Amino acid sequence: MDEELLFDGADGGNTAGDRYELYERLLLERDRLEKETGQIWTVYMQIFGQLITENYEEKVECIKCKKTIAYYQSILNRGGQIDAGEMKEYIDREMAVYYAELRRKISEKESAEKAGRLSAYEVKRTKELYRRLAKLIHPDLNPATGTSPELQELWQRVLDAYHRSNVKELSELEVLIRKTLKDLGLDDVRPEIPDLDERIDAVNAEIADITGTEPYTLRSLIEDDDAVRQKKDEIVKETEDYKKYHKQLNEVIVKLLAGGGLQIYVEGNN
């Protein structure tokens, strides 16, 4: 982020107009960074998503085996009679959070795979259109957006189109927004915003948080070919380790069942 955007809130030499323009630029920079963070995560998942998913699948299988072993051992201590239905319910319940996380990872991977890469024109044009529209009806810049159902709906459409980088929709929304502002008598009006210094400090803090944490910090990784290869190797090795552990756990299960101390029955069957 450009250093000129930073503002400490204690500099009384800035005029109200200067502070408003700084606040405006900071809001736009924050929104740009939030979108860029989403794009960074998409590229990260395009590069590593398949490996991450395979890795987690093996991890989940290891966890399931460990819970199965623990269940068998607890039954051995209580006589060795296993109700297959009760056991399935127990394992399903214990594994629910892991399966949910696996589904989430698979969904993220598939969404990233479907996402296309934007052309330089689309990136530039999307940014230009969003900046213009945000200056008009961003809720933090125009309080009327918070009270007008029409502007609220238009703003949500702007956000959606911006994050999808839909240049055509943003262009059409600009026409609708300017017409709506004119109909409401709000065109070419700069609203009064209270507590500008506090708001500027808050947005600066948000920007620092975005740029200092993942997924934004993954940018340096995905832009470094050597780092990408190293990360892939690390994930592959960990997955192989899980596979070996999974095999060992299965062998433990087989031995427990072969030991003769466990009897599995299905309720209703003789």
Side-chain angles (χ1 to χ4, degrees), residues 35 53 112 121 159 200 214 217 236 249 251 256 264:
K35 181 182 179 184
T53 301
Y121 166 78
L159 289 177
I200 286 170
E214 291 187 4
T217 54
V236 169
L249 291 170
E251 290 172 354
L256 283 171
I264 301 177

Side-chain angles (χ1 to χ4, degrees), residues 32-33 36 40 215-224:
R32 182 191 70 79
L33 289 169
E36 187 176 343
I40 289 169
Y216 190 86
T217 54
L218 294 171
R219 179 175 182 171
S220 59
L221 168 62
I222 63 178
E223 292 177 347
D224 185 331

Side-chain angles (χ1 to χ4, degrees), residues 33-49:
L33 289 169
E34 286 178 342
K35 181 182 179 184
E36 187 176 343
T37 296
Q39 293 170 335
I40 289 169
W41 182 247
T42 295
V43 174
Y44 180 84
M45 290 303 293
Q46 287 173 342
I47 296 171
F48 301 107

Side-chain angles (χ1 to χ4, degrees), residues 35 39 118 122 126 160-167 170:
K35 181 182 179 184
Q39 293 170 335
L118 299 175
E122 288 174 315
T126 297
D160 180 60
Y162 177 56
H163 287 286
R164 289 185 289 108
S165 298
N166 191 322
V167 173
L170 286 171

